[in-house]
């Protein structure tokens, strides 16, 4: 079993399942001591069990990321984070004319405001050389049937660039990864017809795996990656190229 003592500390939000879990496992493999923050208790225990099977340790912190007191407490009772991965997010489908302001508030509260609050509190204590990686979405370029999500993720991209500029003097590097369609429970929000239509637009013709995103995060969170900041890395099987599989 790897010892957690003396290791750089990483925090992965929404790391109980899906992309976040793959990121947490990858960072543990990379040598980080990893805390996984998620509100889903069962997902947290399953993530810890999967880590154990692979002879890693994931530390679970059960909290709702919109609970600022709980987030501040988590940050203050730990050593400064060497890496933060703001991965937690929510997604649902709704056509433009069915959306109401509450849909926007909910998406923004978790996808953007919680990410900002956690990052601001944590960054006050983070040291030079630390990394923040925000999980955006390819959807920031535009997508149908979820304008509130698209807008929240475009805001994550804007915030990433602004944070990169303001945190650079402290030596903290901030980047975003924008996943395309990735096979996780989040995709249950798509009807089978919508999922098939999305896959048809994919030049590679298939959804990505959570590990594809974890590989990109691993690169951006690594101590050796020390001259990249304010960037958005699209990991989307080429979907952002436009077109699709047709000629
Ligand atoms: P999942 O829904 O599978 O996992 C997200 C996890 O985050 C869940 O365990 C969820 O808990 C948790 N979470 C959500 N809100 C909160 C909160 N307020 N406090 C604590 N935990 C919370 O998502 P994915 O793994 O698919 O997605 C991860 C990220 O990647 C998201 O930001 C998503 O927008 C982004 N992304 C995903 C894509 C995909 O195709 N899967 C494509 C592009 C971007 P609970 O179950 O209780 O909600």
């Amino acid at each position: 079993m790897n010892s957690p003592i003396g290791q750089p500390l990483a925090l992965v939000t929404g790391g109980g399942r899906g992309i976040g879990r793959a990121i947490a496992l990858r960072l543990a493999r990379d040598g980080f001591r990893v805390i996984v923050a998620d509100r889903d208790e069962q997902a947290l225990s399953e993530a810890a069990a999967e880590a154990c099977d692979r002879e890693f340790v994931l530390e679970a912190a059960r909290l709702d990321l919109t609970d600022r007191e709980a987030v501040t407490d988590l940050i203050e009772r730990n050593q400064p984070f060497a890496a933060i991965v703001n991965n937690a997010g929510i997604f649902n489908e709704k056509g433009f004319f069915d959306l109401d302001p509450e849909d926007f508030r909910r998406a923004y509260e978790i996808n953007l405001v919680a990410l900002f609050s956690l990052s601001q509190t944590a960054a006050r204590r983070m040291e030079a050389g630390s990394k923040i990686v925000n999980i955006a979405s390819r959807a920031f370029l535009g997508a149908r049937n979820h304008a509130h999500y698209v807008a929240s993720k475009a805001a994550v991209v804007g915030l990433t660039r602004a944070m990169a500029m303001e945190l650079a003097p402290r030596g903290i590097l901030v980047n975003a990864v924008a996943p395309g369609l990735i096979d996780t429970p989040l995709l249950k929000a798509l009807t089978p017809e919508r999922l098939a239509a999305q896959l048809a637009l994919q030049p590679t013709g298939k959804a990505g795996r959570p590990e594809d995103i974890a590989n990109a995060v691993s690169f951006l969170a690594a101590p050796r990656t020390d001259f990249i900041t304010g960037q958005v890395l699209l990991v989307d099987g080429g979907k952002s190229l436009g077109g699709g599989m047709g000629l």
Side-chain angles (χ1 to χ4, degrees), residues 13-21 23 37-41 43-44 61 63-67 86-91 109-111 114 135-139 149 153 177-187 190 207 210 213:
T13 71
R17 66 175 200 219
I19 292 171
R21 189 192 297 186
I23 293 169
D38 203 297
R39 63 184 171 190
D40 183 335
E41 187 148 31
L44 280 171
L63 53 83
D64 189 320
L65 292 153
T66 61
D67 178 347
N86 286 305
N87 162 80
I90 56 166
F91 169 82
E109 188 58 32
I110 296 176
N111 296 354
I135 304 301
S137 168
R138 186 224 60 89
Y149 178 81
K153 291 298 188 176
V177 172
L181 210 59
I182 306 296
D183 190 7
T184 75
L186 182 136
L187 291 191
L190 292 173
I213 306 306

Short mmCIF file of all heavy atoms in Angstrom, two decimals, residues 13-21 23 37-41 43-44 61 63-67 86-91 109-111 114 135-139 149 153 177-187 190 207 210 213, ligand 1:
data_model
loop_
_atom_site.label_atom_id
_atom_site.label_comp_id
_atom_site.label_asym_id
_atom_site.label_seq_id
_atom_site.Cartn_x
_atom_site.Cartn_y
_atom_site.Cartn_z
N THR A 13 -13.03 17.25 -6.82
CA THR A 13 -14.45 17.39 -6.48
C THR A 13 -15.29 16.50 -7.40
O THR A 13 -14.92 16.25 -8.55
CB THR A 13 -14.92 18.86 -6.58
OG1 THR A 13 -14.98 19.24 -7.96
CG2 THR A 13 -14.02 19.80 -5.80
N GLY A 14 -16.40 16.02 -6.84
CA GLY A 14 -17.26 15.12 -7.61
C GLY A 14 -16.51 13.87 -8.02
O GLY A 14 -16.76 13.29 -9.07
N GLY A 15 -15.59 13.45 -7.17
CA GLY A 15 -14.71 12.33 -7.53
C GLY A 15 -15.22 10.97 -7.12
O GLY A 15 -14.50 9.98 -7.21
N GLY A 16 -16.49 10.90 -6.68
CA GLY A 16 -17.03 9.61 -6.26
C GLY A 16 -17.27 8.67 -7.43
O GLY A 16 -17.17 7.45 -7.29
N ARG A 17 -17.59 9.24 -8.57
CA ARG A 17 -17.88 8.36 -9.72
C ARG A 17 -17.46 9.06 -11.02
O ARG A 17 -16.96 10.19 -11.00
CB ARG A 17 -19.36 8.01 -9.75
CG ARG A 17 -20.24 9.21 -10.02
CD ARG A 17 -21.69 8.81 -10.17
NE ARG A 17 -22.39 9.85 -10.88
CZ ARG A 17 -23.62 10.27 -10.60
NH1 ARG A 17 -24.28 9.72 -9.62
NH2 ARG A 17 -24.17 11.23 -11.31
N GLY A 18 -17.68 8.37 -12.10
CA GLY A 18 -17.49 8.96 -13.43
C GLY A 18 -16.08 9.48 -13.66
O GLY A 18 -15.08 8.87 -13.26
N ILE A 19 -16.03 10.64 -14.31
CA ILE A 19 -14.74 11.24 -14.68
C ILE A 19 -13.91 11.54 -13.43
O ILE A 19 -12.71 11.31 -13.40
CB ILE A 19 -15.00 12.52 -15.49
CG1 ILE A 19 -15.62 12.17 -16.85
CG2 ILE A 19 -13.71 13.32 -15.69
CD1 ILE A 19 -16.10 13.37 -17.66
N GLY A 20 -14.56 12.07 -12.39
CA GLY A 20 -13.85 12.45 -11.18
C GLY A 20 -13.15 11.27 -10.52
O GLY A 20 -12.03 11.39 -10.04
N ARG A 21 -13.85 10.12 -10.52
CA ARG A 21 -13.21 8.95 -9.91
C ARG A 21 -11.96 8.54 -10.68
O ARG A 21 -10.92 8.21 -10.11
CB ARG A 21 -14.19 7.77 -9.82
CG ARG A 21 -13.58 6.64 -9.00
CD ARG A 21 -14.32 5.33 -9.09
NE ARG A 21 -15.68 5.39 -8.57
CZ ARG A 21 -16.46 4.32 -8.44
NH1 ARG A 21 -16.02 3.12 -8.79
NH2 ARG A 21 -17.70 4.45 -8.00
N ILE A 23 -10.09 10.45 -12.45
CA ILE A 23 -9.05 11.45 -12.19
C ILE A 23 -8.38 11.18 -10.84
O ILE A 23 -7.15 11.20 -10.70
CB ILE A 23 -9.64 12.88 -12.21
CG1 ILE A 23 -10.11 13.26 -13.61
CG2 ILE A 23 -8.61 13.90 -11.69
CD1 ILE A 23 -10.95 14.54 -13.68
N ALA A 37 -13.90 14.79 -2.84
CA ALA A 37 -15.06 15.45 -2.23
C ALA A 37 -16.28 15.20 -3.09
O ALA A 37 -16.27 15.48 -4.30
CB ALA A 37 -14.80 16.95 -2.11
N ASP A 38 -17.33 14.67 -2.48
CA ASP A 38 -18.55 14.35 -3.24
C ASP A 38 -19.71 14.32 -2.25
O ASP A 38 -19.51 14.09 -1.06
CB ASP A 38 -18.39 12.98 -3.92
CG ASP A 38 -19.30 12.82 -5.13
OD1 ASP A 38 -20.52 12.84 -4.96
OD2 ASP A 38 -18.77 12.66 -6.25
N ARG A 39 -20.93 14.53 -2.76
CA ARG A 39 -22.07 14.48 -1.83
C ARG A 39 -22.71 13.11 -1.82
O ARG A 39 -23.58 12.83 -1.01
CB ARG A 39 -23.09 15.54 -2.21
CG ARG A 39 -23.72 15.34 -3.57
CD ARG A 39 -24.65 16.47 -3.94
NE ARG A 39 -25.06 16.35 -5.33
CZ ARG A 39 -25.71 17.29 -6.00
NH1 ARG A 39 -25.99 18.42 -5.41
NH2 ARG A 39 -26.04 17.10 -7.25
N ASP A 40 -22.28 12.23 -2.72
CA ASP A 40 -22.88 10.91 -2.86
C ASP A 40 -22.06 9.90 -2.04
O ASP A 40 -20.97 9.49 -2.44
CB ASP A 40 -22.89 10.55 -4.36
CG ASP A 40 -23.56 9.22 -4.63
OD1 ASP A 40 -23.60 8.36 -3.73
OD2 ASP A 40 -24.04 9.04 -5.77
N GLU A 41 -22.63 9.52 -0.88
CA GLU A 41 -21.89 8.66 0.05
C GLU A 41 -21.55 7.30 -0.56
O GLU A 41 -20.43 6.79 -0.42
CB GLU A 41 -22.72 8.47 1.33
CG GLU A 41 -21.94 7.74 2.41
CD GLU A 41 -22.34 8.20 3.80
OE1 GLU A 41 -23.52 8.57 3.98
OE2 GLU A 41 -21.47 8.19 4.68
N ALA A 43 -21.22 6.53 -3.70
CA ALA A 43 -20.18 6.68 -4.72
C ALA A 43 -18.82 6.81 -4.06
O ALA A 43 -17.82 6.24 -4.53
CB ALA A 43 -20.48 7.91 -5.59
N LEU A 44 -18.77 7.54 -2.94
CA LEU A 44 -17.49 7.72 -2.24
C LEU A 44 -16.95 6.37 -1.75
O LEU A 44 -15.76 6.08 -1.88
CB LEU A 44 -17.67 8.68 -1.05
CG LEU A 44 -17.68 10.16 -1.39
CD1 LEU A 44 -18.08 10.97 -0.16
CD2 LEU A 44 -16.32 10.63 -1.92
N ALA A 61 -14.30 12.80 1.47
CA ALA A 61 -14.88 13.93 2.20
C ALA A 61 -16.30 14.10 1.68
O ALA A 61 -16.50 14.53 0.54
CB ALA A 61 -14.07 15.19 1.97
N LEU A 63 -19.43 15.98 1.30
CA LEU A 63 -19.98 17.33 1.48
C LEU A 63 -20.66 17.79 0.19
O LEU A 63 -20.42 17.26 -0.88
CB LEU A 63 -18.88 18.33 1.88
CG LEU A 63 -17.62 18.44 1.03
CD1 LEU A 63 -17.83 19.35 -0.17
CD2 LEU A 63 -16.50 19.02 1.89
N ASP A 64 -21.52 18.79 0.39
CA ASP A 64 -22.13 19.44 -0.77
C ASP A 64 -21.28 20.67 -1.07
O ASP A 64 -21.06 21.51 -0.19
CB ASP A 64 -23.58 19.84 -0.44
CG ASP A 64 -24.30 20.32 -1.69
OD1 ASP A 64 -23.69 21.05 -2.51
OD2 ASP A 64 -25.47 19.97 -1.85
N LEU A 65 -20.81 20.76 -2.29
CA LEU A 65 -19.87 21.84 -2.63
C LEU A 65 -20.51 23.22 -2.60
O LEU A 65 -19.80 24.22 -2.63
CB LEU A 65 -19.26 21.56 -4.01
CG LEU A 65 -18.34 20.34 -3.99
CD1 LEU A 65 -18.27 19.70 -5.35
CD2 LEU A 65 -16.96 20.71 -3.48
N THR A 66 -21.83 23.27 -2.51
CA THR A 66 -22.48 24.58 -2.37
C THR A 66 -22.52 25.02 -0.90
O THR A 66 -22.92 26.14 -0.61
CB THR A 66 -23.91 24.57 -2.95
OG1 THR A 66 -24.68 23.61 -2.23
CG2 THR A 66 -23.91 24.22 -4.42
N ASP A 67 -22.10 24.13 0.01
CA ASP A 67 -22.05 24.46 1.44
C ASP A 67 -20.66 25.08 1.72
O ASP A 67 -19.68 24.38 1.95
CB ASP A 67 -22.27 23.16 2.24
CG ASP A 67 -22.19 23.38 3.75
OD1 ASP A 67 -21.72 24.47 4.18
OD2 ASP A 67 -22.58 22.47 4.48
N ASN A 86 -11.38 20.79 -10.15
CA ASN A 86 -12.79 21.17 -9.99
C ASN A 86 -13.59 20.42 -11.04
O ASN A 86 -13.77 20.90 -12.17
CB ASN A 86 -12.94 22.68 -10.18
CG ASN A 86 -12.42 23.46 -8.98
OD1 ASN A 86 -12.84 23.22 -7.86
ND2 ASN A 86 -11.49 24.38 -9.22
N ASN A 87 -14.05 19.24 -10.65
CA ASN A 87 -14.72 18.35 -11.62
C ASN A 87 -16.23 18.27 -11.43
O ASN A 87 -16.96 18.04 -12.39
CB ASN A 87 -14.08 16.95 -11.47
CG ASN A 87 -14.95 15.87 -12.08
OD1 ASN A 87 -14.96 15.67 -13.29
ND2 ASN A 87 -15.71 15.17 -11.23
N ALA A 88 -16.72 18.48 -10.20
CA ALA A 88 -18.15 18.27 -9.95
C ALA A 88 -18.98 19.17 -10.86
O ALA A 88 -18.65 20.34 -11.07
CB ALA A 88 -18.48 18.57 -8.49
N GLY A 89 -20.04 18.61 -11.38
CA GLY A 89 -20.91 19.41 -12.24
C GLY A 89 -22.24 18.71 -12.42
O GLY A 89 -22.34 17.50 -12.18
N ILE A 90 -23.24 19.48 -12.82
CA ILE A 90 -24.54 18.87 -13.11
C ILE A 90 -24.94 19.19 -14.55
O ILE A 90 -24.52 20.21 -15.11
CB ILE A 90 -25.64 19.32 -12.14
CG1 ILE A 90 -25.78 20.86 -12.12
CG2 ILE A 90 -25.38 18.80 -10.74
CD1 ILE A 90 -27.05 21.35 -11.46
N PHE A 91 -25.75 18.30 -15.09
CA PHE A 91 -26.16 18.42 -16.49
C PHE A 91 -27.59 17.92 -16.63
O PHE A 91 -27.94 16.90 -16.05
CB PHE A 91 -25.22 17.55 -17.36
CG PHE A 91 -25.69 17.35 -18.78
CD1 PHE A 91 -25.44 18.33 -19.73
CD2 PHE A 91 -26.36 16.19 -19.16
CE1 PHE A 91 -25.87 18.16 -21.04
CE2 PHE A 91 -26.79 16.01 -20.47
CZ PHE A 91 -26.54 17.00 -21.41
N GLU A 109 -24.84 27.67 -9.95
CA GLU A 109 -24.47 27.51 -8.54
C GLU A 109 -23.43 26.41 -8.36
O GLU A 109 -22.46 26.56 -7.63
CB GLU A 109 -25.74 27.21 -7.71
CG GLU A 109 -25.53 27.20 -6.20
CD GLU A 109 -24.98 28.52 -5.65
OE1 GLU A 109 -25.29 29.58 -6.20
OE2 GLU A 109 -24.21 28.47 -4.66
N ILE A 110 -23.63 25.29 -9.07
CA ILE A 110 -22.70 24.16 -8.90
C ILE A 110 -21.55 24.24 -9.91
O ILE A 110 -20.38 24.14 -9.55
CB ILE A 110 -23.45 22.82 -9.03
CG1 ILE A 110 -24.46 22.71 -7.88
CG2 ILE A 110 -22.47 21.64 -9.01
CD1 ILE A 110 -25.33 21.50 -7.91
N ASN A 111 -21.89 24.44 -11.18
CA ASN A 111 -20.84 24.36 -12.21
C ASN A 111 -19.86 25.52 -12.14
O ASN A 111 -18.70 25.37 -12.53
CB ASN A 111 -21.47 24.32 -13.61
CG ASN A 111 -22.31 23.06 -13.82
OD1 ASN A 111 -22.33 22.18 -12.97
ND2 ASN A 111 -23.00 22.97 -14.94
N ALA A 114 -19.71 27.40 -7.14
CA ALA A 114 -19.05 26.51 -6.17
C ALA A 114 -17.57 26.34 -6.54
O ALA A 114 -16.69 26.32 -5.67
CB ALA A 114 -19.76 25.16 -6.12
N ILE A 135 -12.77 21.38 -14.85
CA ILE A 135 -13.38 20.55 -15.89
C ILE A 135 -14.54 21.33 -16.50
O ILE A 135 -15.57 21.56 -15.86
CB ILE A 135 -13.86 19.18 -15.34
CG1 ILE A 135 -12.69 18.44 -14.65
CG2 ILE A 135 -14.45 18.34 -16.48
CD1 ILE A 135 -11.48 18.15 -15.52
N ALA A 136 -14.34 21.76 -17.72
CA ALA A 136 -15.37 22.50 -18.46
C ALA A 136 -16.18 21.49 -19.28
O ALA A 136 -16.57 20.44 -18.77
CB ALA A 136 -14.71 23.56 -19.33
N SER A 137 -16.39 21.78 -20.52
CA SER A 137 -17.06 20.83 -21.43
C SER A 137 -16.88 21.35 -22.85
O SER A 137 -16.84 22.57 -23.07
CB SER A 137 -18.57 20.77 -21.14
OG SER A 137 -19.23 20.08 -22.19
N ARG A 138 -16.80 20.42 -23.79
CA ARG A 138 -16.77 20.85 -25.20
C ARG A 138 -17.98 21.72 -25.52
O ARG A 138 -17.95 22.56 -26.42
CB ARG A 138 -16.73 19.61 -26.12
CG ARG A 138 -16.55 19.93 -27.60
CD ARG A 138 -17.47 19.10 -28.46
NE ARG A 138 -18.85 19.34 -28.14
CZ ARG A 138 -19.61 20.29 -28.71
NH1 ARG A 138 -19.11 21.08 -29.63
NH2 ARG A 138 -20.89 20.44 -28.37
N ALA A 139 -19.04 21.52 -24.74
CA ALA A 139 -20.29 22.26 -24.98
C ALA A 139 -20.10 23.77 -24.86
O ALA A 139 -20.96 24.52 -25.31
CB ALA A 139 -21.36 21.80 -24.00
N TYR A 149 -26.49 24.85 -19.34
CA TYR A 149 -25.23 24.12 -19.12
C TYR A 149 -24.13 24.71 -20.00
O TYR A 149 -23.01 24.96 -19.54
CB TYR A 149 -25.47 22.65 -19.45
CG TYR A 149 -24.27 21.74 -19.33
CD1 TYR A 149 -23.87 21.26 -18.08
CD2 TYR A 149 -23.54 21.34 -20.44
CE1 TYR A 149 -22.77 20.40 -17.96
CE2 TYR A 149 -22.46 20.48 -20.34
CZ TYR A 149 -22.08 20.02 -19.09
OH TYR A 149 -20.99 19.18 -18.98
N LYS A 153 -20.65 26.38 -18.63
CA LYS A 153 -19.33 25.86 -18.96
C LYS A 153 -18.50 26.90 -19.73
O LYS A 153 -17.27 26.94 -19.60
CB LYS A 153 -19.46 24.56 -19.75
CG LYS A 153 -20.00 23.39 -18.91
CD LYS A 153 -19.08 23.04 -17.75
CE LYS A 153 -19.51 21.77 -17.03
NZ LYS A 153 -18.58 21.35 -15.97
N VAL A 177 -9.85 21.49 -18.77
CA VAL A 177 -10.01 20.39 -19.72
C VAL A 177 -11.48 20.40 -20.14
O VAL A 177 -12.37 20.51 -19.29
CB VAL A 177 -9.65 19.03 -19.07
CG1 VAL A 177 -10.00 17.87 -20.01
CG2 VAL A 177 -8.16 18.99 -18.73
N ALA A 178 -11.71 20.34 -21.44
CA ALA A 178 -13.08 20.37 -21.95
C ALA A 178 -13.39 19.01 -22.59
O ALA A 178 -13.03 18.76 -23.75
CB ALA A 178 -13.23 21.49 -22.98
N PRO A 179 -14.07 18.14 -21.82
CA PRO A 179 -14.37 16.81 -22.38
C PRO A 179 -15.48 16.86 -23.41
O PRO A 179 -16.40 17.68 -23.32
CB PRO A 179 -14.87 16.01 -21.15
CG PRO A 179 -14.54 16.83 -19.94
CD PRO A 179 -14.49 18.25 -20.41
N GLY A 180 -15.39 15.97 -24.38
CA GLY A 180 -16.53 15.71 -25.26
C GLY A 180 -17.40 14.66 -24.59
O GLY A 180 -17.44 14.57 -23.36
N LEU A 181 -18.08 13.86 -25.40
CA LEU A 181 -18.98 12.84 -24.86
C LEU A 181 -18.18 11.74 -24.15
O LEU A 181 -17.39 11.06 -24.80
CB LEU A 181 -19.75 12.25 -26.04
CG LEU A 181 -21.14 11.74 -25.82
CD1 LEU A 181 -22.04 12.85 -25.31
CD2 LEU A 181 -21.68 11.20 -27.14
N ILE A 182 -18.39 11.59 -22.86
CA ILE A 182 -17.64 10.60 -22.09
C ILE A 182 -18.63 9.64 -21.43
O ILE A 182 -19.65 10.09 -20.88
CB ILE A 182 -16.77 11.27 -20.99
CG1 ILE A 182 -15.86 12.37 -21.59
CG2 ILE A 182 -15.94 10.23 -20.24
CD1 ILE A 182 -14.81 11.90 -22.56
N ASP A 183 -18.31 8.37 -21.47
CA ASP A 183 -19.23 7.35 -20.97
C ASP A 183 -19.27 7.34 -19.44
O ASP A 183 -18.42 6.72 -18.81
CB ASP A 183 -18.78 5.99 -21.52
CG ASP A 183 -19.82 4.93 -21.26
OD1 ASP A 183 -20.92 5.28 -20.78
OD2 ASP A 183 -19.52 3.75 -21.53
N THR A 184 -20.23 8.07 -18.87
CA THR A 184 -20.40 8.12 -17.40
C THR A 184 -21.90 8.16 -17.10
O THR A 184 -22.71 8.39 -18.00
CB THR A 184 -19.79 9.40 -16.78
OG1 THR A 184 -20.65 10.50 -17.08
CG2 THR A 184 -18.40 9.69 -17.27
N PRO A 185 -22.27 8.01 -15.81
CA PRO A 185 -23.70 8.09 -15.45
C PRO A 185 -24.36 9.40 -15.86
O PRO A 185 -25.58 9.46 -16.04
CB PRO A 185 -23.69 7.94 -13.92
CG PRO A 185 -22.44 7.19 -13.62
CD PRO A 185 -21.44 7.64 -14.65
N LEU A 186 -23.57 10.47 -16.03
CA LEU A 186 -24.16 11.77 -16.42
C LEU A 186 -24.90 11.68 -17.75
O LEU A 186 -25.86 12.40 -18.00
CB LEU A 186 -23.03 12.81 -16.48
CG LEU A 186 -23.37 14.26 -16.82
CD1 LEU A 186 -22.62 15.21 -15.88
CD2 LEU A 186 -22.99 14.59 -18.24
N LEU A 187 -24.45 10.76 -18.61
CA LEU A 187 -25.08 10.64 -19.93
C LEU A 187 -26.50 10.08 -19.87
O LEU A 187 -27.23 10.11 -20.87
CB LEU A 187 -24.23 9.75 -20.86
CG LEU A 187 -22.89 10.34 -21.29
CD1 LEU A 187 -22.28 9.50 -22.40
CD2 LEU A 187 -23.06 11.78 -21.78
N LEU A 190 -29.36 12.02 -21.27
CA LEU A 190 -29.69 12.03 -22.71
C LEU A 190 -30.60 10.86 -23.05
O LEU A 190 -30.37 9.74 -22.58
CB LEU A 190 -28.40 11.88 -23.55
CG LEU A 190 -27.38 13.02 -23.54
CD1 LEU A 190 -26.12 12.57 -24.28
CD2 LEU A 190 -27.96 14.26 -24.19
N ALA A 207 -17.91 7.28 -27.80
CA ALA A 207 -17.73 8.13 -26.62
C ALA A 207 -16.34 7.86 -26.03
O ALA A 207 -15.77 6.78 -26.21
CB ALA A 207 -18.80 7.81 -25.58
N PRO A 210 -13.69 7.81 -19.11
CA PRO A 210 -13.24 8.71 -18.05
C PRO A 210 -11.71 8.80 -17.97
O PRO A 210 -11.14 9.85 -17.70
CB PRO A 210 -13.83 8.09 -16.78
CG PRO A 210 -15.07 7.39 -17.26
CD PRO A 210 -14.73 6.88 -18.64
N ILE A 213 -9.97 11.55 -19.94
CA ILE A 213 -9.93 12.86 -19.29
C ILE A 213 -8.88 12.85 -18.17
O ILE A 213 -8.13 13.81 -17.99
CB ILE A 213 -11.32 13.23 -18.72
CG1 ILE A 213 -12.39 13.13 -19.81
CG2 ILE A 213 -11.31 14.62 -18.10
CD1 ILE A 213 -12.11 13.93 -21.07
P1 LIG B 1 -21.29 12.35 -12.90
O1 LIG B 1 -22.67 12.90 -12.76
O2 LIG B 1 -21.12 10.94 -13.30
O3 LIG B 1 -20.46 12.59 -11.54
C1 LIG B 1 -20.46 13.84 -10.94
C2 LIG B 1 -20.28 13.67 -9.46
O4 LIG B 1 -20.26 14.99 -8.87
C3 LIG B 1 -21.46 12.92 -8.82
O5 LIG B 1 -20.99 11.99 -7.86
C4 LIG B 1 -22.25 14.05 -8.19
O6 LIG B 1 -23.05 13.65 -7.08
C5 LIG B 1 -21.13 14.99 -7.76
N1 LIG B 1 -21.66 16.32 -7.48
C6 LIG B 1 -22.47 17.07 -8.26
N2 LIG B 1 -22.81 18.19 -7.64
C7 LIG B 1 -22.20 18.16 -6.42
C8 LIG B 1 -22.19 19.03 -5.30
N3 LIG B 1 -22.89 20.17 -5.28
N4 LIG B 1 -21.46 18.68 -4.21
C9 LIG B 1 -20.78 17.52 -4.20
N5 LIG B 1 -20.77 16.65 -5.22
C10 LIG B 1 -21.48 16.96 -6.32
O7 LIG B 1 -20.55 13.34 -13.94
P2 LIG B 1 -19.36 13.08 -14.97
O8 LIG B 1 -18.31 12.28 -14.33
O9 LIG B 1 -19.92 12.65 -16.26
O10 LIG B 1 -18.88 14.58 -15.19
C11 LIG B 1 -17.84 15.17 -14.43
C12 LIG B 1 -17.58 16.58 -14.99
O11 LIG B 1 -17.29 16.48 -16.39
C13 LIG B 1 -18.78 17.51 -14.87
O12 LIG B 1 -18.32 18.81 -14.56
C14 LIG B 1 -19.39 17.49 -16.26
O13 LIG B 1 -20.12 18.66 -16.55
C15 LIG B 1 -18.14 17.35 -17.11
N6 LIG B 1 -18.40 16.78 -18.43
C16 LIG B 1 -18.90 15.51 -18.57
C17 LIG B 1 -19.13 15.00 -19.85
C18 LIG B 1 -19.65 13.63 -20.09
O14 LIG B 1 -19.91 13.29 -21.27
N7 LIG B 1 -19.81 12.78 -19.08
C19 LIG B 1 -18.90 15.83 -21.06
C20 LIG B 1 -18.37 17.13 -20.78
C21 LIG B 1 -18.14 17.59 -19.51
P3 LIG B 1 -24.65 13.45 -7.32
O15 LIG B 1 -24.76 12.09 -7.93
O16 LIG B 1 -25.22 13.55 -5.95
O17 LIG B 1 -25.10 14.55 -8.25
#
